[in-house]
Amino acid sequence: MIRIHKLIATSLGIGYIGKGGGTVAAAVAALVWYLVLAGGHPNNVWTLLFTVAITLLGIWSGTEVEPYWGKDDKKVVIDEVAGMFVSVLFVPVTPAYMLAGLILFRFFDIVKPLYIRRTEALPGGLGVMMDDIVAGIYSNLLLQLVIHLI
């Protein structure tokens, strides 16, 4: 079972890339989101349920791999995938918005302003996932502001 959790936690092996694996995972997530939903405006329950499912799976797998790899190991990139999905949730699926979502998400994920860093102290996979989820929420809020002001 641990092999499955490692596969999930590394987002099908992307986490083994090493340095930059989080950025690669977020970029792949943005590309997949775009390819699946291109040209649409995913205002439906399915995108929300899928994002929640990825998040819950990440919490579970992050908790399971922690005894083997330690707290929030760089190989664990499912958190970047979930965070990226949150950042573009309910946003029009265009190349410009996907790129903006990716840049905003990586900014918030790397810099960790506005109490994002505090969420890393949560136990197990919850701590692994929540900083990226909050970074995704901040990114999404900024994107929504742009969408509704333009």
Side-chain angles (χ1 to χ4, degrees), residues 81-126:
V81 171
M84 184 63 216
F85 287 167
V86 169
S87 73
V88 293
L89 196 60
F90 308 123
V91 170
V93 184
T94 67
Y97 281 126
M98 294 302 102
L99 182 60
L102 177 63
I103 291 168
L104 286 169
F105 169 67
R106 290 307 291 156
F107 168 77
F108 284 116
D109 188 30
I110 292 167
V111 176
K112 298 188 188 315
L114 307 168
Y115 303 106
I116 293 174
R117 189 168 310 281
R118 288 187 181 181
T119 62
E120 293 177 317
L122 294 167
L126 191 60

Side-chain angles (χ1 to χ4, degrees), residues 62-85:
T63 299
E64 293 299 315
V65 301
E66 189 173 296
Y68 298 92
W69 291 341
K71 179 75 172 165
D72 203 1
D73 187 86
K74 64 183 176 189
K75 290 186 289 290
V76 178
V77 294
I78 188 72
D79 50 337
E80 275 80 10
V81 171
M84 184 63 216
F85 287 167

Side-chain angles (χ1 to χ4, degrees), residues 1 4-5 8-9 47-65 76 78-83 85-86 123-130 132-133:
M1 188 68 166
I4 293 170
H5 286 294
I8 292 166
T47 54
L48 177 62
L49 289 175
F50 182 73
T51 301
V52 168
I54 292 293
T55 302
L56 294 174
L57 196 57
I59 292 169
W60 183 27
S61 290
T63 299
E64 293 299 315
V65 301
V76 178
I78 188 72
D79 50 337
E80 275 80 10
V81 171
F85 287 167
V86 169
L126 191 60
V128 172
M129 296 295 290
M130 286 314 293
D132 296 272
I133 297 303

